[in-house]
């Protein structure tokens, strides 16, 4: 499982658990909270009404009291109120009064006068001087039919002479409870969705950054040219820079060691030849032999100098992870420059250079000098192996790759003897070269140089035998 997905799952596990706990507490606490508020209101109302009716109850004038008549008629008043989007069209208080024995002497609904309420908690506890309240269902199987009753003592000079109860159905406050719960759940859903988007965004950013670092590490592992991507000024960026520094040190140490071995091996032969010639020249010999050994010393010295110069150029190129100078390179101009550089070799062997340029592409971005040197090396190889009086072909084509990208393919082919099978997988090895007809052995650094130039331009180089004879080198560059 990817680290970004792990972090995302952990994040949502914590978020989901926290949200569930919070929502469970909040949603479940809404109902008792609203009911507690209703009970508080009923207490105030009952206490106020008990004070107002105390004189009438003490005088035994409950039936003929104007106040009682007004209380009995209050429920018949019309009302149409909008309370935060919830419409109220009826008055829901029920008020009843009992005497000291718990017998109902007044009922605003007019239905239970004379009934014995002494066993109900609201009446019983109030008549005992305690706080009396109860919640009773009008339908035993329906929780929503509960009615809350809160009573207050009716006092006459500090003595309890009865009780007054104010009742209100719970169903009248349920719409407010449901609305609050619905809003909390809706906004919680939006919060969860926003958190999901934020989590996905963070996970995408983290995976994207780690994927860059992983791609870079894979390229290094495969020996490809790769520059450290922009990872930001954070822990991942610091890790990437540390990997880059470690890579430079390890590659530098390994490269120097390998370079010293190969260079010592390649210089051993010319040094031995120079030493042998010099030792022979100490003896008396004919002038012609002396001149021969002197020419051999100069030739081997020139070979060493050429070897070192090309090796230094290759080393510089191999250490580059990207191009230092990028410019728009005109393909016809580049072809003309390479042809001009090769004119002496072409004339010396009476070779014809046939060019076929694709008009679909006339320029690319790259380093003109490096491309000129790379194509020059390929053309020099073709000249060295081509039979005198034959022709060499230089073609450019725009190639559509399977992944949807395009490449510029520059092909250089000759009519020479071709590459032996045993050498096909070695021709890009450093210092490996094949015998050239009528020419000295090369340094074996030309094709490795061409490969490095191709890699720096996001391309590739391949050399293969043609069916009808000769060799074709295909130099591909990313467009």
């Amino acid at each position: 499982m990817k680290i970004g997905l792990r972090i995302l799952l952990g994040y949502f596990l914590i978020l989901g658990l926290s949200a569930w706990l919070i929502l469970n507490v909040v949603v479940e606490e809404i109902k008792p909270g609203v009911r507690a508020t209703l009970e508080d209101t009923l207490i105030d109302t009952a206490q106020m009404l008990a004070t107002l009716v105390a004189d009438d109850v003490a005088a035994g004038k409950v039936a003929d009291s104007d106040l009682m008549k007004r209380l009995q008629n209050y429920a018949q008043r019309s009302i149409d109120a909008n309370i935060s989007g919830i419409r109220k069209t009826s008055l829901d208080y029920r008020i009843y009064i009992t005497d000291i024995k718990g017998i109902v002497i007044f009922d605003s609904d007019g239905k239970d006068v004379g009934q014995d309420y002494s066993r109900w908690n609201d009446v019983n506890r109030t008549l005992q001087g305690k706080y009396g309240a109860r919640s009773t269902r009008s339908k035993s199987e329906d929780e929503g039919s509960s009615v809350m009753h809160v009573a207050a003592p009716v006092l006459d000079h500090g003595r309890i002479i009865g009780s007054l109860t104010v009742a209100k159905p719970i169903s009248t406050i349920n719409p407010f409870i449901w609305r609050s719960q619905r809003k909390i759940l809706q906004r919680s859903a939006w919060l969860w969705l926003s958190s999901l988007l934020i989590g996905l965004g963070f996970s995408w950013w983290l995976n994207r950054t780690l994927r860059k670092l992983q791609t870079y590490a894979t390229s290094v592992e495969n020996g490809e040219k790769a520059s450290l991507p922009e990872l930001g000024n954070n822990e991942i960026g610091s890790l990437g820079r540390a990997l880059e520094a470690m890579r430079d040190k390890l590659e530098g140490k390994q490269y120097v060691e390998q370079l010293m071995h190969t260079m010592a091996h390649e210089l051993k032969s010319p040094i031995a030849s120079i030493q042998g010639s010099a030792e022979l020249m100490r003896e008396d010999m004919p002038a012609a032999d002396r001149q021969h050994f002197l020419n051999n010393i100069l030739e081997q010295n020139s070979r060493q100098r050429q070897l070192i110069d090309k090796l230094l150029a290759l080393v510089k190129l191999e250490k580059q992870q990207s191009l230092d100078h990028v410019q728009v390179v005109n393909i016809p101009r580049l072809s003309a420059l390479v042809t001009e550089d090769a004119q002496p070799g072409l004339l010396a062997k009476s070779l014809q250079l046939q060019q076929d340029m694709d008009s679909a592409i006339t320029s690319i971005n790259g380093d003109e000098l490096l491309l000129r040197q790379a194509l020059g090396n390929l053309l020099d190889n073709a000249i060295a192996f081509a039979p005198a009086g034959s022709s060499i072909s230089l073609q450019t084509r725009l190639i559509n790759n399977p992944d949807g990208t395009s490449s510029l393919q520059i092909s250089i082919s000759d009519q020479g003897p071709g590459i032996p099978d045993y050498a096909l997988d070695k021709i890009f090895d450093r210092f490996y070269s094949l015998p050239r007809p009528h020419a000295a052995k090369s340094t074996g650094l030309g094709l490795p140089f061409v490969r490095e130039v191709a890699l720096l331009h996001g391309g590739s180089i391949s050399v293969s035998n043609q069916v009808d004879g000769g060799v074709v080198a295909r130099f591909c560059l990313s467009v």
Side-chain angles (χ1 to χ4, degrees):
M1 185 182 294
K2 295 183 178 179
I3 187 171
L5 183 57
R6 292 183 182 181
I7 293 176
L8 182 63
L9 290 177
Y11 165 74
F12 272 103
L13 181 61
I14 296 173
L15 178 65
L17 182 60
S18 301
W20 179 81
L21 289 173
I22 293 173
L23 284 175
N24 187 58
V25 172
V26 171
V27 172
E28 291 301 321
E29 284 297 318
I30 289 177
K31 185 181 293 185
V34 173
R35 290 186 177 182
T37 302
L38 174 62
E39 185 175 354
D40 180 75
T41 304
L42 292 176
I43 291 173
D44 290 344
T45 305
Q47 292 290 341
M48 180 184 66
L49 292 177
T51 302
L52 293 177
V53 303
D55 292 341
D56 291 336
V57 173
K61 299 179 179 179
V62 174
D64 301 327
S65 170
D66 291 337
L67 176 60
M68 300 302 175
K69 292 178 180 179
R70 293 190 183 97
L71 289 176
Q72 198 164 23
N73 294 331
Y74 110 97
Q76 301 175 2
R77 299 186 60 177
S78 61
I79 183 174
D80 189 2
N82 190 314
I83 306 174
S84 299
I86 296 176
R87 190 176 181 186
K88 182 176 178 63
T89 58
S90 63
L91 299 173
D92 305 305
Y93 274 163
R94 178 195 174 194
I95 303 166
Y96 59 83
I97 303 172
T98 69
D99 58 18
I100 191 62
K101 295 180 180 180
I103 305 301
V104 178
I105 58 175
F106 172 80
D107 185 353
S108 61
D109 286 352
K111 60 181 181 179
D112 285 343
V113 175
Q115 295 292 323
D116 184 0
Y117 272 25
S118 61
R119 291 177 297 173
W120 292 114
N121 276 345
D122 58 319
V123 175
N124 183 274
R125 293 178 61 84
T126 300
L127 294 177
Q128 295 177 28
K130 302 176 183 179
Y131 170 60
R134 66 183 170 95
S135 180
T136 305
R137 297 181 183 181
S138 58
K139 298 178 181 178
S140 59
E141 70 282 357
D142 184 9
E143 183 182 0
S145 65
S146 293
V147 179
M148 185 174 289
H149 301 73
V150 175
V154 179
L155 303 176
D156 181 25
H157 297 92
R159 180 173 60 88
I160 298 176
I161 61 173
S163 69
L164 181 142
T165 296
V166 179
K168 187 177 180 67
I170 296 297
S171 60
T172 60
I173 62 170
N174 282 339
F176 298 96
I177 295 174
W178 296 335
R179 183 191 61 183
S180 299
Q181 291 177 333
R182 185 171 60 253
K183 282 188 175 181
I184 290 175
L185 292 175
Q186 286 177 347
R187 292 177 184 179
S188 296
W190 281 111
L191 176 62
W192 186 86
L193 180 60
S194 301
S195 300
L196 174 62
L197 294 177
I198 293 172
L200 288 174
F202 174 76
S203 178
W204 173 83
W205 170 82
L206 182 61
N207 275 332
R208 177 173 172 268
T209 307
L210 289 175
R211 197 178 300 114
K212 286 183 179 179
L213 186 58
Q214 184 181 13
T215 302
Y216 167 73
T218 302
S219 299
V220 172
E221 181 184 7
N222 295 333
E224 301 173 1
K225 288 188 178 293
S227 298
L228 182 67
E230 183 62 38
L231 300 174
N233 189 22
N234 49 45
E235 290 82 357
I236 298 178
S238 299
L239 176 61
R241 288 186 287 273
L243 288 175
E244 175 79 354
M246 182 175 67
R247 172 199 180 186
D248 289 340
K249 289 184 179 180
L250 292 176
E251 284 189 348
K253 181 178 179 181
Q254 183 181 10
Y255 188 83
V256 169
E257 182 180 352
Q258 182 183 9
L259 182 63
M260 293 303 295
H261 282 298
T262 54
M263 194 170 181
H265 179 270
E266 291 300 317
L267 290 177
K268 188 182 297 183
S269 177
I271 290 175
S273 180
I274 291 173
Q275 183 177 356
S277 297
E279 289 176 352
L280 290 172
M281 288 179 67
R282 289 179 179 178
E283 303 176 1
D284 292 334
M285 61 178 63
D289 291 340
R290 181 176 296 276
Q291 185 62 42
H292 169 73
F293 287 120
L294 180 61
N295 290 339
N296 184 59
I297 291 174
L298 293 174
E299 181 183 344
Q300 294 300 327
N301 185 66
S302 175
R303 181 185 173 190
Q304 290 183 85
R305 185 174 62 252
Q306 185 182 24
L307 180 67
I308 292 172
D309 288 343
K310 287 193 173 183
L311 184 59
L312 290 175
L314 179 61
V315 168
K316 180 181 178 182
L317 205 59
E318 287 179 335
K319 297 303 292 181
Q320 282 185 236
Q321 301 301 326
S322 59
L323 292 172
D324 293 333
H325 306 287
V326 179
Q327 62 193 99
V328 177
V329 180
N330 184 272
I331 303 302
R333 167 184 158 80
L334 177 63
S335 177
L337 291 173
V338 173
T339 302
E340 183 181 349
D341 294 339
Q343 279 303 314
L346 293 170
L347 293 175
K349 297 183 69 172
S350 300
L351 299 172
Q352 297 293 323
L353 181 61
Q354 300 175 352
Q355 299 190 44
D356 182 9
M357 312 298 290
D358 190 346
S359 60
I361 179 168
T362 58
S363 64
I364 61 169
N365 293 326
D367 188 315
E368 184 179 78
L369 178 59
L370 290 179
L371 291 174
R372 181 177 177 180
Q373 290 176 309
L375 292 177
N377 283 340
L378 293 177
L379 194 52
D380 287 343
N381 282 344
I383 292 172
F385 288 97
S390 63
S391 62
I392 295 175
S393 173
L394 191 155
Q395 296 181 335
T396 64
R397 290 286 182 271
L398 182 63
I399 305 298
N400 295 319
N401 301 318
D403 60 358
T405 61
S406 299
S407 300
L408 169 64
Q409 179 180 280
I410 303 177
S411 302
I412 298 178
S413 58
D414 61 58
Q415 299 175 0
I419 303 173
D421 292 340
Y422 66 84
L424 284 173
D425 59 346
K426 301 178 182 178
I427 56 176
F428 287 103
D429 292 349
R430 194 183 300 162
F431 301 115
Y432 186 84
S433 64
L434 294 170
R436 300 187 176 201
H438 313 295
K441 182 181 179 182
S442 70
T443 61
L445 298 175
L447 287 179
F449 182 90
V450 174
R451 179 180 58 189
E452 295 301 321
V453 173
L455 291 175
L456 284 173
H457 285 80
S460 62
I461 173 68
S462 65
V463 179
S464 59
N465 292 320
Q466 300 186 95
V467 177
D468 54 353
V471 174
V472 57
R474 294 181 176 87
F475 187 66
C476 295
L477 303 172
S478 179
V479 176

